[in-house]
Amino acid sequence: GVFDSGLGGLTAVRQMHRIMPNENIIYFGDTGRVPYGSRSRKTVLQYARQDVAFLKEHDIKAIVVACGTVSSQVLGDIKRENSIPIIGVVEPTCYAAMRHTKNNRVGIIGTMGTIRSGAYEAKLHTLDPSVHTLARACPLFVPLVENGRFLPDDRVTQLVIEEYLTEMRDFGVDTLILGCTHYPLLRDAISQFMGDDVHLVDSGAEAAEYAHRFLVSAEQRQG
Ligand code: DGL
């Protein structure tokens, strides 16, 4: 089972189809209530509980929270409340970022809620206390993606990217965490602005890779 506030989590599903083609995936995109990123923690928790309850009606063996907003704010709560394995995007994404960075300067972009939580920075600093981070909320990215405005030659998208990411580029990051699963859909446009030298870490794809490793080792444990 995989869920997100909208179509962003399909970036995780795309990768899951590639690496575990035999798994049946049930996807729930809460397009009726997107975006989650600007809502209070209390509301995000309420929505996350409902999303989990919906997926659990479908005989699933694990849940991938393909949403940076839910993963960074309430993952602990929903894990405690459910015995089924639940995998979020923050940890796998931070591991990938630290594998990639050479200059130890890592940028993080995400929704308001994700950036306010500080979850990505906290995890990066536990992996390497000397890492330099810069985090920036990009609230207009989700509506752009949900409205299909993700092509690199879209003038409006280019302008919004410039507004949000100029500081990030000046900070000299060599690795940029796309901490919201909608953002990989803007990958080409973001990459065009940041330059080829900046590695973009896709939080949905990293969660999918992690879920794959987790399921393989769970199957091995069961013999
Ligand atoms: N794709 C989600 C995330 O990763 C949610 C975006 C939103 O609904 O604001 O944060």
Side-chain angles (χ1 to χ4, degrees):
V2 184
F3 75 88
D4 180 36
S5 62
L7 52 81
L10 292 172
T11 56
V13 172
R14 179 173 57 186
Q15 186 68 0
M16 289 168 85
H17 275 310
R18 271 187 209 135
I19 58 180
M20 35 184 151
N22 297 325
E23 295 289 356
N24 294 313
I25 297 167
I26 312 248
Y27 183 74
F28 179 65
D30 193 3
T31 48
R33 301 188 293 195
V34 68
Y36 283 12
S38 51
R39 299 186 195 268
S40 68
R41 184 185 181 283
K42 192 168 162 232
T43 303
V44 170
L45 180 57
Q46 181 200 334
Y47 290 176
R49 282 179 172 145
Q50 292 166 343
D51 300 344
V52 167
F54 171 80
L55 286 175
K56 281 171 69 181
E57 287 169 14
H58 292 82
D59 189 26
I60 47 169
K61 59 183 173 186
I63 292 179
V64 175
V65 180
C67 174
T69 306
V70 172
S71 298
S72 62
Q73 295 188 84
V74 300
L75 189 72
D77 299 75
I78 55 175
K79 277 175 96 143
R80 267 191 302 279
E81 294 165 3
N82 295 278
S83 53
I84 187 168
I86 300 185
I87 293 156
V89 298
V90 175
E91 278 207 21
T93 302
C94 289
Y95 278 110
M98 293 316 295
R99 277 198 309 275
H100 282 290
T101 184
K102 298 210 167 46
N103 71 2
N104 230 16
R105 295 175 97 77
V106 177
I108 304 139
I109 53 175
T111 65
M112 294 275 212
T114 296
I115 299 306
R116 201 182 333 114
S117 79
Y120 279 103
E121 284 142 296
K123 184 68 198 174
L124 290 170
H125 282 108
T126 63
L127 296 178
D128 182 348
S130 72
V131 66
H132 299 281
T133 57
L134 180 66
R136 183 79 155 95
C138 305
L140 290 174
F141 281 0
V142 168
L144 283 172
V145 168
E146 289 283 334
N147 286 287
R149 308 286 301 256
F150 39 73
L151 295 177
D153 59 358
D154 188 304
R155 294 283 300 121
V156 175
T157 303
Q158 284 174 350
L159 209 62
V160 175
I161 288 175
E162 189 185 330
E163 161 88 15
Y164 285 148
L165 299 186
T166 297
E167 189 190 1
M168 194 62 81
R169 197 171 61 180
D170 294 348
F171 185 68
V173 298
D174 72 350
T175 303
L176 177 61
I177 290 179
L178 307 180
C180 167
T181 52
H182 278 72
Y183 298 0
L185 290 153
L186 295 170
R187 170 184 276 277
D188 292 347
I190 293 173
S191 189
Q192 190 171 284
F193 180 78
M194 294 298 291
D196 291 342
D197 301 345
V198 176
H199 180 81
L200 305 181
V201 187
D202 177 334
S203 52
E206 294 303 333
E209 300 279 351
Y210 182 88
H212 182 226
R213 289 194 296 275
F214 174 84
L215 292 173
V216 168
S217 71
E219 271 161 30
Q220 281 166 353
R221 276 198 302 277
Q222 280 162 12

